[in-house]
Amino acid sequence: MIDLLRAVILGIIQGATEFLPISSSGHLVITPWLLGWPAPSLFFDTVLHWGTLLSILLVFWRDFVDIIVATLRSIFQRSLADPNARLGWFLVIGTIPAALTGLLLKDFIEALFESPRAAGVFLLVTAGLLTLSEALARRIRSQTPLEGLRLSQAVWIGAAQALALAPGLSRSGITIATGLAVGLRRDVAARFSFLLGTPAFLGAGLLQLVDALSADGAEVATQLPALVAGFVASAVVGFIAIRFMLAYLRRHTLHIFAIYCLVAGLAVIALTFLRA
């Protein structure tokens, strides 16, 4: 059972850290552990992700309308001449690795969410990936706009998203970093990363909803006020975070986020030993 205040706090954390490349899943593991709160249920975690899904839809709704219409049209016309049609199919293809990984390694991934130390270690991995991507980006002279995205680039970014199922490995961080490494501009990599998160959040949320209702639908009903509060907080803060990141990455690097992940990861690992 989670109260309204904790639900709002966790919703704010989810909304901010999902799009800032510092790992929302890692923070949702670490924050309750630091504060001595009971770990939130996977269903509550999923509802928070649905909040960030709503924020993506609110920011990119025009893009999604164009992409869906173009993708459906491409089926009948048997043509990928429209960049939006290509983007639609690239989003589908890019989602497959994470979907397969989540289904095949479900129990292993869920076990990682019980370990703050694992989240701290993966934060260090995120810091390293963000730093490496910036080093690679400086060596790439031509940077691809979203309309010029290639299948190979979408596949690499989709494969990277599959790794981000572990807590502490930032989904936005690792997909943006991979986008930079394969030649996308920072803002373009962020845009594709945010769009790619939509089917992942939706699919994972539907699976968790089925599991939660089949296990104990009555318990879900009793948590409804907290679920709504967390959802709204996540959606509002997520909307702000997306707008911020798209503007920030036009002129700035990922180094500040790499430093944060490094410091946070080391601090969490040290605390796990001190509390042992």
Side-chain angles (χ1 to χ4, degrees):
M1 194 74 176
I2 187 167
D3 61 43
L4 285 175
L5 178 60
R6 293 179 185 180
V8 170
I9 291 173
L10 292 175
I12 291 171
I13 291 172
Q14 165 63 25
T17 58
E18 181 59 52
F19 302 110
L20 304 182
I22 55 177
S23 180
S24 62
S25 59
H27 282 76
L28 290 180
V29 170
I30 293 166
T31 301
W33 172 74
L34 282 175
L35 299 176
W37 297 349
S41 66
L42 283 176
F43 180 68
F44 179 77
D45 180 74
T46 299
V47 169
L48 296 188
H49 279 78
W50 274 0
T52 48
L53 169 62
L54 177 60
S55 65
I56 297 174
L57 295 176
L58 290 174
V59 173
F60 297 112
W61 69 270
R62 289 187 181 88
D63 301 73
F64 279 114
V65 170
D66 293 340
I67 290 169
I68 292 170
V69 170
T71 303
L72 293 175
R73 187 184 296 126
S74 73
I75 296 174
F76 298 101
Q77 296 180 345
R78 298 183 180 181
S79 171
L80 293 178
D82 189 331
N84 282 319
R86 291 197 299 273
L87 181 56
W89 288 112
F90 289 166
L91 291 174
V92 172
I93 293 169
T95 301
I96 294 173
L100 291 177
T101 302
L103 290 173
L104 294 175
L105 300 178
K106 182 175 182 289
D107 293 338
F108 174 74
I109 292 168
E110 288 182 358
L112 290 177
F113 277 78
E114 299 175 3
S115 173
R117 187 174 299 169
V121 170
F122 284 123
L123 278 174
L124 298 183
V125 176
T126 297
L129 291 173
L130 294 178
T131 303
L132 177 61
S133 69
E134 286 291 349
L136 292 174
R138 286 198 297 269
R139 298 184 180 184
I140 300 173
R141 294 183 179 179
S142 61
Q143 294 183 316
T144 308
L146 191 58
E147 296 77 12
L149 186 72
R150 300 189 301 275
L151 175 60
S152 60
Q153 293 171 316
V155 169
W156 277 110
I157 297 171
Q161 178 172 252
L163 298 177
L165 296 175
L169 270 177
S170 167
R171 193 205 66 82
S172 61
I174 195 171
T175 50
I176 293 172
T178 304
L180 289 178
V182 297
L184 301 183
R185 298 198 316 260
R186 286 186 189 86
D187 58 323
V188 171
R191 196 175 191 87
F192 185 72
S193 168
F194 299 156
L195 293 173
L196 186 63
T198 305
F201 294 157
L202 180 59
L206 290 174
L207 288 175
Q208 289 297 337
L209 177 62
V210 171
D211 289 345
L213 292 178
S214 61
D216 193 347
E219 183 179 349
V220 172
T222 61
Q223 295 184 26
L224 189 58
L227 292 172
V228 172
F231 174 85
V232 172
S234 177
V236 171
V237 176
F239 181 90
I240 296 170
I242 293 173
R243 292 291 193 188
F244 168 78
M245 283 301 296
L246 290 175
Y248 179 89
L249 290 176
R250 292 190 186 101
R251 300 185 176 214
H252 301 89
T253 69
L254 296 168
H255 289 308
I256 187 66
F257 302 108
I259 293 171
Y260 173 86
C261 289
L262 175 64
V263 173
L266 290 174
V268 169
I269 293 170
L271 282 172
T272 61
F273 284 106
L274 291 174
R275 288 189 175 187

